[in-house]
Amino acid sequence: MAKAAIASPWKNETERKTERALKREAVLAAAAHVFSERGYHRVSLDEVAQALNVTKPTLYYYFKNKEAMLFACVQHGLDMLEAAGSAAEGNGRTRLVAYLEGYAAVIETDFGRCAVRISDAELSEASRKKVRRIKSEIDRKIRQLVADGIADGSIASSDPKITAFALAGALNSIGQWHPRPSQPADRKLVDEYINLLMNGLAPR
Amino acid sequence: MAKAAIASPWKNETERKTERALKREAVLAAAAHVFSERGYHRVSLDEVAQALNVTKPTLYYYFKNKEAMLFACVQHGLDMLEAAGSAAEGNGRTRLVAYLEGYAAVIETDFGRCAVRISDAELSEASRKKVRRIKSEIDRKIRQLVADGIADGSIASSDPKITAFALAGALNSIGQWHPRPSQPADRKLVDEYINLLMNGLAPR
DNA sequence: AAACTATGTTACTTCAAAGTAGAAAAGCCG
DNA sequence: CGGCTTTTCTACTTTGAAGTAACATAGTTT
């Protein structure tokens, strides 16, 4: 496939479509950043616009309204959470730990924090429905990993359902507490966290 | 101490003070209920007033403004969390479990859910400071219990600080998920939850 | 009774922020 | 060029909810 040796300054339709998509993503990233940091209601679209060096009506060119923007952020975050650590191999326990680590990593991103911190009550009924679908998909996934672990003897648990809920909840709390996560410290936090969940506090 | 055989319809100053305090508490309870269920911003004071069969200005007779109401809710919730399970005796582990159970019970109340769900970014700087003080007091308390358990050999943990953070976070997530907690199911949830935290998922 | 205090109401004002109309640039194409 | 589409802007309307002024009512005290 021959590509133009020098990039043409003129854009064909495909390129323009791509550029529009990129701008839309930039809006989303800016929104996710402030939403996750300060919360949906406390952020005005004027602020989002300012952060991007444009004016508010421009945002409306890319999104129907503020809620659509929020929904896109949450959805993206949830999609990332669902896709976390899917490549892992091994017994239930190994795969579960891999997934939890991936999950924790996502939660440290703006989109992940949006997905975790934003209450679905902010969303319209239609959006909420979609969000719930992805959330229960994630829940199902964790539950499956726990069940696999129980089956192969690598995990002890009496109730995969509650366990899955507890695991997700515990990790989500990482996203709640401090608004500005410091990169180096968090690695240890997450490791310790997962270690606690897997091994508990009982003395050996 | 002789008490009036029949309640007098006339009130002395003390009684009036009490009545005012009761009404103030009623406002607070109504506010905590809706705040914890739907979130601070999505609740209007007109709604709170309506739930109490009064009008909005009446609320301003009992609270300076909306934020003062929120702060009172959060503070009350945090105070309850701090006081949870303080009476327990035994080794570190026993006392920790007792505290966590109390903590979980508080989180199922409106005030507890307020304390846990409301982001401190909603509050003014002054209120936030006070909130943070109580929160770190709670954190210190859990940390102490963990440390005690480590000292007496009833708990295995490499880092009381992170452990305390994880424990609180995991329990807090109970308050996040479902807006309408069903009483009977939750007991099992909480037990399972605490069991997971104490014993982990490792097979014996 | 008259004055005072506590409690509540009606009927506003104010304000921030969402959303919009319509024009102006900028880029593309016959 | 002159018209077409895409993108962005300026300048506005609208709205929802916080907060307030000023009055009404009733109980309390002198």
Side-chain angles (χ1 to χ4, degrees):
Chain A
M1 239 75 57
K3 260 195 174 173
I6 51 167
S8 163
W10 289 278
K11 288 146 194 163
N12 60 25
E13 197 178 326
T14 326
E15 280 174 318
R16 270 186 282 114
K17 279 248 171 71
T18 314
E19 188 162 306
R20 183 182 160 90
L22 282 176
K23 285 185 181 173
R24 199 188 135 101
E25 274 165 40
V27 170
L28 215 56
H33 186 69
V34 285
F35 285 166
S36 73
E37 209 160 64
R38 315 222 329 272
Y40 181 59
H41 282 284
R42 265 155 305 159
V43 168
S44 78
L45 292 187
D46 277 317
E47 289 175 71
V48 177
Q50 198 165 17
L52 292 162
N53 291 317
V54 294
T55 58
K56 182 168 51 139
T58 299
L59 304 183
Y60 281 87
Y61 181 63
Y62 294 98
F63 289 91
K64 189 173 157 284
N65 53 32
K66 195 183 180 188
E67 195 243 294
M69 226 181 260
L70 179 68
F71 173 66
C73 287
V74 170
Q75 188 178 37
H76 189 200
L78 287 175
D79 285 345
M80 288 169 79
L81 285 178
E82 206 205 328
S86 286
E89 299 280 338
N91 63 20
R93 181 189 179 87
T94 311
R95 271 151 52 221
L96 178 62
V97 169
Y99 181 74
L100 295 181
E101 279 168 353
Y103 191 104
V106 170
I107 277 180
E108 283 169 2
T109 71
D110 289 336
F111 288 112
R113 300 240 301 286
C114 269
V116 158
R117 297 180 65 146
I118 307 293
S119 156
D120 16 345
E122 311 276 5
L123 300 165
S124 69
E125 187 53 42
S127 307
R128 187 165 34 246
K129 222 170 208 167
K130 292 180 199 162
V131 161
R132 283 218 234 272
R133 241 213 51 248
I134 313 183
K135 280 188 177 173
S136 64
E137 193 49 41
I138 293 173
D139 189 54
R140 198 199 53 74
K141 204 160 178 173
I142 303 180
R143 221 136 76 188
Q144 186 60 53
L145 289 173
V146 173
D148 289 354
I150 295 174
D152 67 29
S154 60
I155 282 176
S157 163
S158 59
D159 188 335
K161 196 169 152 181
I162 291 181
T163 300
F165 173 71
L167 289 172
L171 288 179
N172 288 349
S173 74
I174 294 177
Q176 309 289 150
W177 222 253
H178 36 205
R180 204 171 299 278
S182 52
Q183 290 315 331
D186 278 356
R187 186 86 335 250
K188 192 188 173 216
L189 178 78
V190 170
D191 286 349
E192 192 73 31
Y193 227 93
I194 293 179
N195 183 53
L196 165 63
L197 295 172
M198 300 309 290
N199 300 320
L201 290 172
R204 307 299 122 74
Chain B
M1 240 77 54
K3 259 191 175 173
I6 49 167
S8 163
W10 290 278
K11 289 144 194 166
N12 62 25
E13 197 179 325
T14 326
E15 281 174 319
R16 268 186 283 116
K17 280 248 173 68
T18 314
E19 189 162 304
R20 183 181 160 91
L22 282 176
K23 285 184 181 174
R24 199 188 137 102
E25 274 165 40
V27 170
L28 214 56
H33 185 70
V34 285
F35 285 166
S36 73
E37 209 160 64
R38 314 221 330 272
Y40 181 60
H41 282 285
R42 266 155 303 157
V43 168
S44 77
L45 292 188
D46 278 317
E47 291 176 69
V48 177
Q50 198 165 17
L52 293 161
N53 292 315
V54 294
T55 58
K56 181 167 51 132
T58 298
L59 304 182
Y60 282 87
Y61 180 63
Y62 294 96
F63 289 91
K64 190 173 156 285
N65 54 30
K66 193 184 181 188
E67 195 244 293
M69 225 179 263
L70 178 68
F71 173 67
C73 286
V74 171
Q75 188 178 40
H76 188 200
L78 288 174
D79 285 346
M80 288 168 79
L81 285 178
E82 207 206 326
S86 285
E89 298 281 336
N91 62 22
R93 180 189 178 88
T94 313
R95 272 151 50 219
L96 178 61
V97 169
Y99 182 74
L100 296 181
E101 279 168 353
Y103 192 103
V106 171
I107 276 180
E108 284 169 2
T109 70
D110 289 335
F111 288 113
R113 301 239 299 286
C114 269
V116 158
R117 297 180 66 147
I118 306 292
S119 156
D120 15 346
E122 311 276 5
L123 300 165
S124 70
E125 188 52 43
S127 306
R128 187 164 36 246
K129 223 170 207 168
K130 291 180 200 164
V131 161
R132 284 218 234 272
R133 241 213 51 249
I134 312 183
K135 280 188 178 174
S136 64
E137 193 50 41
I138 294 173
D139 189 54
R140 197 199 53 74
K141 205 160 178 174
I142 303 180
R143 220 136 79 188
Q144 186 60 53
L145 290 173
V146 173
D148 289 355
I150 295 174
D152 67 29
S154 60
I155 282 176
S157 163
S158 59
D159 188 335
K161 197 169 152 180
I162 291 180
T163 301
F165 172 71
L167 289 173
L171 288 179
N172 288 348
S173 74
I174 295 178
Q176 309 290 150
W177 222 253
H178 37 202
R180 204 170 297 280
S182 51
Q183 289 317 331
D186 279 354
R187 187 87 335 251
K188 187 180 178 223
L189 178 79
V190 169
D191 286 349
E192 193 73 28
Y193 227 95
I194 293 179
N195 183 53
L196 165 64
L197 295 172
M198 299 311 289
N199 301 320
L201 290 172
R204 307 300 125 71

